[in-house]
Amino acid sequence: MLPRPVRLDGGMASRVRVRTPELTGKGGWLNTGGEHLSLADLRGRIVILDFWTFCCINCLHVLDELRELEEKHRDTVVIIGVHSPKFVHEAEHQAVVDAVERYGVEHPVLDDPELATWKQYAVRAWPTLVVIDPEGYVVAQHAGEGHAHAIERLVEELETEHTAKGTLRRGDGPYVAPEPEPTVLRFPGKALALPSGTFLVSDTTRHQLVELAADGETVVRRIGSGARGLHDGPADSATFNEPQGLALLDDGSVVVADTVNHALRRLDLTTGAVTTLAGTGRQWMQGEPTSGPAREVSLSSPWDVAWWQGKVWIAMAGVHQLWAYDPNDNTVFVTAGTTNEGLVDGSGPEAWFAQPSGLAATADRLWLADSETSALRWVDLDGAVHTAVGTGLFDFGHRDGSAEQALLQHPLGVTALPDGSVAISDTYNHALRRYDPATGEVTTLATDLREPSDAVLVGDDILVVESARHRLTRLRLPEEAVRVESVAHRTQRAATEVAPGELKLDVIFQAPAGQKLDTRYGPSTRLLVSATPPELLVGGEGAGTDLNRTLALNPAVAEGVLHVSAMAASCDDDPANEYPACHVHQQDWGVPVRLTEGGADRLPLVLAGMDDRADQNA
């Protein structure tokens, strides 16, 4: 655990610093050429620890936010990814190896399957960024996304400060690029059957679309140059950025969920030309418009698309919502979800999702794979949201039987079958599952599929996207289910022991240097608190604007999860600038707690800054 912070004077300003624990992880190091790194090896460099897990869309956002910083300060900054798994599958070393390549991680990664370093640094949320100065002290911590601007400002201060002190060491970092693999596809995401009998596949890691012949193997053509980017044009020069979902429009063209570009693109199948339908190319942030002209409204990691009820429905994984694009007037708008992460059914405006990642439309239902809640859900014709399989963020596994007790593990795809049932690409279970709404039963159709992320029906066969085997695999739909041993899991994070009764919740937010809270239009902070089970809280739940709150915990409930969502807006503090740049900082925490006499009476959660008011071991 981090020791008590102390305030040390030095350099440009007085700054809270904490001596760093060592980096340890049973899985070892990736992207170092086989070398084991220690903090002593990194002394003299500015180190940014990125605690992430590859299921987490916010973690993927941070990987992209850090790319520019990583390049700009390559001779002074070393980013270390600390992979800290949520799901059981994410603790498998090969899965981490795959994820590092899949998402283009170009810095060393420590595989920490037992969360040893996570615990030593008292981390509570994915993602969390920890900044270590060249003398080996923690000087800042940030939870959530949207902090790249603040960290760059701090990096520049540390460069100046430690250059003056003679403690900054410049030079090449320890990153060693792995050898590329010569496969036809590389971590394909989604597939689409085309009217011609061929298949279109999003070749996600290579930033292309690939048309395959009817055999599902032979390349007919590639669309996109293969470079990351957002450029329209002919097939050989257009660019994508980790494209995923595909849907056929009624005019014969294809709409593409261009995930990391936060955009919808259109592919003309005849000419191969690519144009942009929706999105600005920037990630949507809290407070921005959620409806309007499609090219003027920002999106957030659209992961899949489906044509339903005359509109393109969008699984907006980045903000835990469903959106829609209307081609008749070229507008986009929210159809369901509040942006809060969780599993709540009800009307569209009331429902909660957790990273919806797969869509499939039938005449009367829009099915969706809600990956972070390991759930299969659906939307009815009135826009109401229902759950067929799944219970919430912390329960997952591989268990067949009645839907009420069946378990999935981070599914990414769903496919409608002719008999009214659906096939589920149960990604982290490496399986193809089936849910039959007529019987309410969940069965397993196939196993030994490596991270299946989508499937396409082809006559009596089903073509599965085996993402981590870099191929499409054709299966005959079985008449009988495969028998599997039932396994149930809960998230492996240790529960925080807290005392029953009053619990002081403190969300720590310190505006980055050169910024201040934006109070021009009212309060600039927001806090939302709830619990699973709801009976855990007998006081303090709900929304408010103060980042500090006293909660009342029910002594009759032994354990549960506190759901905390915090937001703060800060702007550049320059009186001469009439239109200062502003930034939104946001994070959702799910904190497992166990009520214990003598447990902590304070729960600090760091949104940005350092908790210098109490021992961080609390």
Side-chain angles (χ1 to χ4, degrees):
M1 294 282 187
L2 286 174
R4 181 184 295 274
V6 295
R7 190 173 294 277
L8 300 178
D9 292 329
M12 297 178 64
S14 175
R15 181 180 290 122
V16 174
R17 304 199 300 176
V18 179
R19 179 60 76 179
T20 52
E22 192 51 81
L23 304 176
T24 59
K26 189 175 181 180
W29 289 88
L30 305 177
N31 283 356
T32 63
E35 293 295 318
H36 176 89
L37 298 181
S38 69
L39 286 173
D41 299 327
L42 303 172
R43 192 63 54 83
R45 310 298 291 271
I46 300 165
V47 178
I48 300 172
L49 303 182
D50 176 15
F51 289 87
W52 70 298
T53 189
F54 62 80
C55 72
C56 162
I57 191 66
N58 310 93
C59 299
L60 304 186
H61 290 166
V62 167
L63 286 176
D64 292 311
E65 289 175 1
L66 292 176
R67 294 187 198 279
E68 184 176 348
L69 174 72
E70 195 168 21
E71 180 60 35
K72 184 176 179 180
H73 298 272
R74 190 168 291 278
D75 66 334
T76 60
V77 170
V78 175
I79 297 176
I80 302 289
V82 183
H83 189 268
S84 312
K86 171 188 174 181
F87 290 98
V88 170
H89 170 60
E90 293 174 309
E92 297 176 15
H93 181 69
Q94 185 57 48
V96 181
V97 173
D98 289 342
V100 167
E101 180 188 353
R102 180 194 297 267
Y103 297 115
V105 179
E106 296 183 351
H107 50 249
V109 174
L110 175 63
D111 180 11
D112 183 18
E114 298 175 344
L115 302 180
T117 298
W118 166 288
K119 295 170 186 174
Q120 288 294 315
Y121 280 80
V123 175
R124 296 186 185 274
W126 294 281
T128 290
L129 297 170
V130 175
V131 182
I132 301 172
D133 73 12
E135 294 179 292
Y137 289 93
V138 174
V139 294
Q141 182 172 326
H142 300 266
E145 53 185 289
H147 301 292
H149 65 285
I151 291 176
E152 178 162 14
R153 175 71 177 264
L154 176 58
V155 164
E156 291 170 349
E157 288 186 4
L158 291 172
E159 286 176 341
T160 301
E161 177 181 338
H162 288 274
T163 296
K165 293 174 69 174
T167 50
L168 183 68
R169 177 167 57 91
R170 296 178 180 269
D172 293 334
Y175 169 68
V176 178
E179 291 292 324
E181 297 287 342
T183 54
V184 172
L185 303 172
R186 205 69 190 161
F187 298 104
K190 304 288 184 180
L192 176 68
L194 298 178
S196 62
T198 61
F199 300 97
L200 190 66
V201 183
S202 52
D203 197 10
T204 304
T205 298
R206 292 199 176 126
H207 316 296
Q208 291 180 318
L209 308 179
V210 179
E211 186 177 356
L212 299 177
D215 61 7
E217 298 178 5
T218 306
V219 175
V220 175
R221 59 174 169 169
R222 291 182 179 271
I223 296 99
S225 70
R228 286 183 186 268
L230 178 54
H231 298 289
D232 292 340
D236 59 352
S237 62
T239 55
F240 299 93
N241 198 343
E242 298 183 26
Q244 289 280 351
L246 306 165
L248 194 66
L249 301 182
D250 56 2
D251 66 358
S253 65
V254 173
V255 60
V256 183
D258 196 3
T259 304
V260 180
N261 275 329
H262 311 293
L264 297 187
R265 315 290 294 283
R266 178 185 181 273
L267 169 65
D268 187 315
L269 288 172
T270 302
T271 66
V274 176
T275 53
T276 300
L277 291 177
T280 63
R282 301 183 306 276
Q283 182 186 340
W284 181 91
M285 301 299 286
Q286 285 286 349
E288 294 187 8
T290 55
S291 64
R295 292 295 304 274
E296 298 176 16
V297 177
S298 294
L299 311 181
S300 182
S301 296
W303 205 275
D304 202 6
V305 283
W307 179 255
W308 190 56
Q309 300 295 309
K311 299 177 181 62
V312 176
W313 285 64
I314 309 165
M316 202 72 79
V319 285
H320 316 300
Q321 290 180 312
L322 298 180
W323 287 40
Y325 165 73
D326 189 339
N328 294 316
D329 57 9
N330 290 313
T331 59
V332 291
F333 50 91
V334 177
T335 57
T338 65
T339 77
N340 294 314
E341 184 179 17
L343 192 153
V344 176
D345 289 340
S347 68
E350 298 172 339
W352 290 25
F353 300 98
Q355 215 167 299
S357 302
L359 299 174
T362 64
D364 60 349
R365 292 187 182 187
L366 179 71
W367 293 97
L368 67 105
D370 204 26
S371 61
E372 278 295 285
T373 53
S374 298
L376 172 68
R377 306 177 73 183
W378 53 281
V379 181
D380 64 26
L381 293 175
D382 294 325
V385 178
H386 310 263
T387 297
V389 183
T391 60
L393 288 164
F394 299 98
D395 294 294
F396 53 91
H398 191 155
R399 186 163 65 197
D400 288 335
S402 66
E404 291 79 9
Q405 56 86 50
L407 294 173
L408 311 170
Q409 187 180 178
H410 198 81
L412 289 178
V414 59
T415 306
L417 301 179
D419 63 357
S421 66
V422 291
I424 307 158
S425 295
D426 194 6
T427 309
Y428 287 4
N429 279 328
H430 310 299
L432 190 67
R433 312 285 293 282
R434 175 178 179 263
Y435 168 70
D436 185 351
T439 64
E441 292 289 309
V442 175
T443 53
T444 298
L445 298 177
T447 56
D448 191 31
L449 299 166
R450 189 68 186 171
E451 293 192 14
S453 56
D454 197 20
V456 179
L457 197 63
V458 187
D460 293 330
D461 295 342
I462 193 164
L463 201 62
V464 180
V465 180
E466 273 198 278
S467 189
R469 284 199 177 114
H470 320 292
R471 69 188 188 190
L472 304 187
T473 299
R474 188 183 293 264
L475 303 173
R476 177 56 57 101
L477 277 173
E479 295 182 3
E480 295 185 3
V482 177
R483 293 190 179 275
V484 296
E485 183 178 352
S486 295
V487 179
H489 300 290
R490 283 184 65 82
T491 182
Q492 60 181 309
R493 280 186 294 167
T496 298
E497 293 192 350
V498 296
E502 288 194 354
L503 177 68
K504 178 68 173 178
L505 173 64
D506 286 335
V507 175
I508 312 302
F509 178 76
Q510 296 155 4
Q515 295 182 28
K516 65 179 181 180
L517 288 174
D518 178 18
T519 57
R520 292 172 298 168
Y521 307 108
S524 60
T525 56
R526 184 188 68 180
L527 181 65
L528 177 66
V529 180
S530 62
T532 302
E535 296 78 20
L536 175 63
L537 279 177
V538 294
E541 71 273 16
T545 58
D546 194 339
L547 293 181
N548 309 112
R549 187 180 301 180
T550 298
L551 309 181
L553 303 182
N554 186 352
V557 179
E559 60 182 5
V561 178
L562 291 175
H563 304 285
V564 181
S565 177
M567 185 274 289
S570 62
C571 296
D572 292 346
D573 187 10
D574 182 0
N577 186 354
E578 186 178 356
Y579 304 103
C582 296
H583 311 274
V584 175
H585 316 257
Q586 184 174 11
Q587 173 61 20
D588 296 331
W589 291 268
V591 183
V593 295
R594 181 179 300 113
L595 274 60
T596 307
E597 292 296 337
D601 61 2
R602 177 175 180 262
L603 178 61
L605 300 176
V606 178
L607 178 59
M610 294 286 287
D611 179 20
D612 58 351
R613 293 158 50 193
D615 191 334
Q616 291 212 359
N617 291 340

